[in-house]
Structure formats: C-alpha cells, structure tokens
Amino acid sequence: MTLSLTLSLLSACDLSGAPVSPVDSDTLEVVDPAEFEPAGTDLERFDFTARAEVADAVFVGEVERIDYRQSSPDSRGGTLPFTFVTWRAERAWKGVAPGQRVTARFVGGVTPEGYASVVSELPLFQEGDRDVIFLDQNGLAGCPLLGCAAGRLRLIDGRVYDDEGGSLVADEAGEVVVGGWRNLPEVNVVTVGTVLVDRRVDQDGPGEGADGMPERAFTGLLDSRLVNLRSAPTTRSVNPDAPFVVRFLDREPSR
Amino acid sequence: MHALRRIAALAFAGLALAPVASAYNIGTAKWASSPKLLIYPSDVTDNAKEWAVLQSVATRLQQNSSTIGFSVGVDDADGVWTSNGENEILYTDSATWLCGSDACCWTSATTTQIVEADVFFNNVDMWETSYAKTDSWAYGGMKRPMAATAMHEFGHALGLGHVSNLYNIMGGDHTFLNTNGNTYSVRLGEDASSGLRALYGSTTGGYEDVTVSHFMYDSFSGEYSTHKRVPVYDSSGGVAANAGTALEPVYKLTKGGRFYFVATLENNGAKSQSPGLRVYLSTDSTITTADTLLTSTSLTLTPDSPYAYVYTGTLSSSLTSGATYYLGVVLDPTNAIAEVDENNNAAYVSAIRIN
C-alpha cells in the first residue's frame, strides 16, 4: 500500500517504478552478520548434566564391532536393515561399567542386495571409532541415542567433536559449545558393509579448521558435572544374533 | 558460523570480494536418472491437502539449476518398504520409519549411485498446508510448514545432507521461508542448489531465481542450522526495542532517527545475476512496488551462498507517532530476470512502530 506521507528520502526517489539512483544519505551493503552480531551469543550450550539425567547410559567407548542384520520377516514378509554397534566402555558415568561391552541397535545398515541403507537423521559408525555416548531407549527407538546424532560425540586425535565434525570448545563462561568445524576424514568417510559413504562437506568460513577441546579436559568436565548419577550397569544391551521383528510392519502403513 | 559472502559498499563501489564457498553436504552417490517418488495410494485421499503440497514442492524442485529432476506420483498398493526397489512416500505414525522425527528419508545406495529413496512423514495432524503464515511454527502457529519439510526431505532423496552452519533448507527447514503479507513460499535455496549442481552438474537449460527473505542464519541445533528473523537496528547501533515477539517483531524506531536492517538475498541459479533492489515502507505487510520507495539500487549476486543485505537509512520526521509501518525489500522489481518463480522477490522485513 502506498503511504500518503512525506518521507525525508522521498524527494530523491522515483515512485514511478522506474530504476532510480541510491539516495546519498543511505548506504547499501552486503556483509557478514557476524560483524554486527556479538560472536557466539546465540551458540547452543551443551547441558551435559541434563542430558545425562535423561539418558540411560553415559560412557566413553571404542567401537569394537559393527554387525549388519535384517529384522525377521513380519507377517507380510517385510524386513528392515539394522546396524548393531558394540562399544567397549572405557569410562562410564551412568548405566555402564568400565570394561563393559554395550551393543546398540540402529535403523539402517545394509540391504539384502548389499546396498547401504542410510537414514537421514542417523549417525554412521566405523570400527575403531571412539565416542562419548548418551544412550537412550536402546532396542526400542530406531536411533537409541539421546537426540539421535546429538547423543554421540567423537573423540578424534585426542580432541572432541560432534557427529558432524563440529569442534567442541569452551566459551568464555566455561560452557561447552561448537566453536568451529573441521573436515575430518574420520567423520566424512565411512564404510557401510562394502559401500563407501564419502561425504563432501563444504565448510569454509570462520571456525573452519578449529580443533575441538582436549579429550582430557572434556572428560574432566564430565567428571565434575555428572556426579550423583546412577552408576550401576543397568543398561540394556541388545544381541545382534537374536531374531527380532519390527512390530510396526504388522500394521497397515497408513491411517 | 559460515561467513556469508561479503560485498562491502556494493551499491556504490560495485565490487565483490572473493566468494566464500557454500556449505552443502553431499556424498559421492547420486541418481543415474531423475527419481520419481510414489505416494501410498490411501494417502492421496487420507492426506489430500498434504499431497497437494507435495506435488507443488516436487514441481518446484523439478525446476532447479542442476541436471537432476524430481517428480512424484501415486504408488501401487503393494505396500511401502525401504528396500523394495520403489521410491515411495508414506504418512505413518511409526517412530522407526520416522527415525524419531516428524519426517525422515531413507536412501539405498552404492558408493556411486543412489538406487532408492523413501520419504516418511508423520501422519499426525501437524502440517500447515495452506501456506498461511499465522498457522506456521515460524510465526508462532501450531503447525509445521509441510512444503518446507517436504523440500528438506526431497533434498535428502536427491543426495543432500544436513547443514548446520549456513542459512539452509537442509537445516531448520520450517524457518526457511519467503514471506510477504500473510503467505509464505518455499524454495530449495542457494546453498542446496549449489550442492545439487556440485553433485549433478549445472543445467544447460535456463533456470533463474532470485529471492529475498526476512529470515537469516542464527546458530545451530545438532546437525541443523537455526534461523531467526532479521534484526532492525536503531541509531544506537543496537537491535531496536521489540514491541512484538521474536517470531513477529515490531521494532520501535524514532522519527528522524537513523536505522538499519538486514535481509537475506539468494540467487538459486547457476549464473551471476545483477538484479535491481528496492527498499520500501508500507502500511501493511504486503510489500509491492506501489509502496513508498525509500531507495533503489542494483547489486551482483554470484551463486553459491546467501547474502546478508544491510540497508541504512533515516526515518522521516513526518511519520505518525504510534503508527505501525512495514519495511520491505523487492528484488528484481522490474522483472528484468526471467525467473521460474516471480512470486518470491518481495518480502516484508519487519513491522516498525514509530516513537
């Protein structure tokens, strides 16, 4: 709607719709918002205490084994691919004992034809990965991590990253945030069965190349914050060799 | 925290600094030919409004600046599976198929080729299907914009991964909207378009689309970028006092005072464009070239990652105290660029209330 008022800029503007020249008193530019936004003020801080309270288990572990399995045929003969990931816990804060092996079941894996079945929300694992795991509803949820990919942190070369290669750093208040990104082959290149999943992530810009905080500092932080948590090894582990049926396959796939 | 490309004082200097690469996330696997996803037959009637949106999104996605296309159709009734050789769409309440989310895409692939994609949407009545702004999550409504989430999932189906560090449909899709007046529209966006071109190559046919939005990159949540409404700053240099909400701000500005605001511009095509750009003041949130022109310029938008556009001006002292106006931007106001979508070139930036 056209305003019926006089603007201070109006005399210099052409309201006919034809191209006009910029007004002298105005400036027009395209900039990086970081130049007028205080850096880092909107970064999401990790609340590990709250996460640990909700999670069934919290531990550092190395992926010892990956098993790809199909669910047993349901009443209509349908199966789904799943990935079973087994960690050996190195340190534990909840639900797992150090040295204990924990196997978790994820949707996606390898199809009967040998294809990699990749699910958009789920992390991918490789034997030898070292992770900080916040386990949640193992054997029940399609992604048995708290917040799915957010429930897995990576320990790579003694530094801490999120599942996408985001570098975990401490902000000015000592809280943990993602302060940058690294293109890490450990993150971007994963073999699913015999299929190489090789991502090309273009993460140029500020923060690129930033290392995550040292693992020791990070686990020390968890030591200080995840106190008084239930430490008994009560976490449910799943058996990759036990047949299982995905119950939803028995129902009509639409309402 | 990906840097948006910087072009200092572009309107006057006409100089563009070296572009910053985009942030897309793709693999080596891609389709050998354009996929067609088939919706489960009963969803055509059970979810008729959603289906209409999916068709419009597919049409929109088919028109992209890469060589890959995309379409949807109706499936046979032999059931939906994630590895049955059919590309399918299903509305379901299965948390497994939905992978714990409102929507999820499963792809089957070799190292070099995607052979199947299946997209699942929650069949709870949660989707905004009329493109009505006020019903949408992004503006405090109760429903998630179906079109934005569909574009995100279809992006996965074509081989795009999540993006957390740039304004992007492959991040927080429900705030990746072009809104003018009371309705919004959805597009693939500049970075995701760049990703498809990186994966499939650029189309040899003409495809041009420039857009303006009042959302911009904010931060991230897990693998997803988060977006916020663009700010309006007052003469102090700080964000002006907001008499509205974070989702629908009403910034308080003083008559005769300097102010500046930001808008997000995108070039979704493969070629550089030099569109005209006009800034308007309006008494309503539908910005048109009939509104009161504040200034006009042109700028060069090379493709790959979005631009943050900053306008600085002075409010007239003759504005009415207590009145509410809208700042807005129109890109390519004379339609000099032949675009696949001419309806996403205007956006209101924000409401302002005059002190």
Side-chain angles (χ1 to χ4, degrees):
Chain A
M1 178 179 292
T2 303
L3 296 178
S4 57
L5 48 82
T6 303
L7 297 168
S8 62
L9 304 173
L10 207 55
S11 60
C13 298
D14 179 357
L15 296 179
S16 68
V20 295
S21 299
V23 179
D24 288 345
S25 61
D26 291 358
T27 60
L28 302 155
E29 59 181 342
V30 181
V31 303
D32 183 344
E35 296 190 4
F36 49 88
E37 288 285 306
T41 54
D42 292 326
L43 293 179
E44 181 183 32
R45 289 173 167 171
F46 288 90
D47 186 344
F48 293 113
T49 304
R51 290 185 183 207
E53 287 175 352
V54 175
D56 296 327
V58 183
F59 61 92
V60 170
E62 179 174 340
V63 176
E64 282 194 337
R65 179 171 169 164
I66 303 280
D67 294 289
Y68 301 105
R69 296 285 187 271
Q70 304 296 311
S71 61
S72 300
D74 76 335
S75 60
R76 294 186 296 180
T79 67
L80 278 182
F82 283 80
T83 301
F84 291 77
V85 180
T86 301
W87 294 270
R88 182 182 180 279
E90 301 171 9
R91 303 174 62 119
W93 290 272
K94 182 179 181 182
V96 176
Q100 182 181 344
R101 287 176 174 77
V102 180
T103 301
R105 189 179 74 196
F106 297 81
V107 292
V110 178
T111 72
E113 298 81 13
Y115 300 126
S117 175
V118 177
V119 183
S120 57
E121 310 292 320
L122 272 78
L124 299 174
F125 297 91
Q126 192 90 55
E127 289 181 6
D129 288 350
R130 293 184 66 244
D131 302 319
V132 181
I133 294 295
F134 291 76
L135 201 65
D136 185 43
Q137 299 189 72
N138 186 21
L140 300 174
C143 181
L145 302 177
L146 190 67
C148 200
R152 179 211 198 182
L153 301 173
R154 304 290 304 271
L155 301 175
I156 299 170
D157 293 333
R159 301 279 178 168
V160 187
Y161 302 90
D162 70 11
D163 188 57
E164 292 284 293
S167 307
L168 268 63
V169 300
D171 66 9
E172 69 283 355
E175 299 298 326
V176 177
V177 298
V178 171
W181 280 266
R182 285 199 62 187
N183 259 318
L184 297 164
E186 294 89 343
V187 172
N188 293 336
V189 184
V190 179
T191 300
V192 179
T194 60
V195 176
L196 186 69
V197 178
D198 185 357
R199 303 187 309 163
R200 288 179 278 161
V201 185
D202 198 343
Q203 293 182 336
D204 201 355
E208 184 193 21
D211 282 330
M213 63 194 303
E215 176 183 339
R216 179 173 298 181
F218 181 74
T219 55
L221 183 145
L222 293 188
D223 284 340
S224 68
R225 298 194 177 179
L226 307 189
V227 294
N228 301 322
L229 291 173
R230 173 169 47 89
S231 59
T234 55
T235 294
R236 175 184 181 186
S237 192
V238 294
N239 179 0
D241 296 321
F244 64 101
V245 175
V246 180
R247 285 183 294 171
F248 71 85
L249 293 173
D250 290 329
R251 54 181 293 282
E252 285 299 312
S254 185
R255 62 188 175 187
Chain B
M1 289 175 292
H2 190 287
L4 295 188
R5 198 170 323 162
R6 173 187 170 82
I7 305 176
L10 174 70
F12 301 115
L15 297 174
L17 302 184
V20 174
S22 48
Y24 55 77
N25 171 359
I26 59 177
T28 53
K30 58 184 179 180
W31 290 95
S33 59
S34 299
K36 184 175 187 176
L37 269 63
L38 306 175
I39 192 168
Y40 193 71
S42 64
D43 280 332
V44 172
T45 50
D46 291 349
N47 295 287
K49 291 180 179 177
E50 288 84 353
W51 171 230
V53 172
L54 297 185
Q55 292 176 89
S56 68
V57 170
T59 299
R60 190 76 178 83
L61 184 54
Q62 164 71 16
Q63 299 171 312
N64 72 78
S65 55
S66 80
T67 62
I68 196 69
F70 186 88
S71 60
V72 294
V74 180
D75 201 2
D76 53 33
D78 66 353
V80 174
W81 308 103
T82 58
S83 55
N84 63 353
E86 298 178 356
N87 307 310
E88 293 161 316
I89 299 168
L90 177 70
Y91 283 80
T92 178
D93 59 7
S94 163
T96 300
W97 271 345
L98 291 167
C99 48
S101 185
D102 294 328
C104 191
C105 178
W106 296 52
T107 55
S108 295
T110 67
T111 296
T112 58
Q113 187 173 337
I114 301 172
V115 298
E116 181 176 341
D118 302 288
V119 175
F120 301 97
F121 295 103
N122 198 329
N123 70 359
V124 172
D125 181 21
M126 62 168 292
W127 301 106
E128 198 294 302
T129 57
S130 65
Y131 298 90
K133 179 188 75 174
T134 52
D135 293 337
S136 169
W137 279 2
Y139 299 93
M142 299 299 290
K143 295 192 173 184
R144 183 168 181 162
M146 178 82 253
T149 302
M151 187 68 84
H152 176 111
E153 298 304 330
F154 293 166
H156 282 313
L158 291 178
L160 297 173
H162 288 139
V163 171
S164 62
N165 58 352
L166 188 68
Y167 180 63
N168 206 299
I169 190 74
M170 299 311 295
D173 54 67
H174 70 279
T175 47
F176 195 82
L177 310 174
N178 296 95
T179 307
N180 197 26
N182 293 318
T183 59
Y184 63 85
S185 63
V186 168
R187 79 289 182 197
L188 187 61
E190 185 160 354
D191 180 68
S193 297
S194 178
L196 288 187
R197 292 197 303 273
L199 196 53
Y200 296 101
S202 297
T203 181
T204 55
Y207 171 91
E208 309 303 336
D209 186 35
V210 293
T211 66
V212 58
S213 174
H214 61 208
F215 289 101
M216 66 183 291
Y217 181 73
D218 182 18
S219 183
F220 62 93
S221 179
E223 296 183 347
Y224 302 88
S225 59
T226 58
H227 314 137
K228 64 181 178 183
R229 290 291 298 273
V230 296
V232 174
Y233 297 81
D234 61 20
S235 56
S236 72
V239 176
N242 181 5
T245 67
L247 300 175
E248 195 63 281
V250 181
Y251 290 109
K252 298 173 73 173
L253 295 177
T254 302
K255 288 190 290 187
R258 298 285 285 174
F259 71 99
Y260 62 103
F261 68 76
V262 185
T264 298
L265 311 179
E266 293 188 286
N267 172 7
N268 303 312
K271 297 189 301 187
S272 289
Q273 297 292 344
S274 297
L277 183 150
R278 295 183 188 174
V279 176
Y280 289 95
L281 190 68
S282 174
T283 55
D284 59 43
S285 62
T286 302
I287 306 300
T288 74
T289 53
D291 286 316
T292 301
L293 182 66
L294 297 185
T295 195
S296 178
T297 186
S298 64
L299 36 70
T300 298
L301 304 175
T302 55
D304 280 340
S305 59
Y307 293 77
Y309 165 80
V310 179
Y311 168 80
T312 303
T314 303
L315 277 182
S316 168
S317 57
S318 64
L319 293 171
T320 303
S321 294
T324 298
Y325 302 97
Y326 290 82
L327 296 165
V329 172
V330 178
L331 201 55
D332 190 30
T334 60
N335 289 332
I337 303 170
E339 302 178 64
V340 294
D341 186 351
E342 298 285 3
N343 297 314
N344 55 18
N345 290 12
Y348 74 95
V349 170
S350 176
I352 58 172
R353 186 162 299 158
I354 307 303
N355 291 329

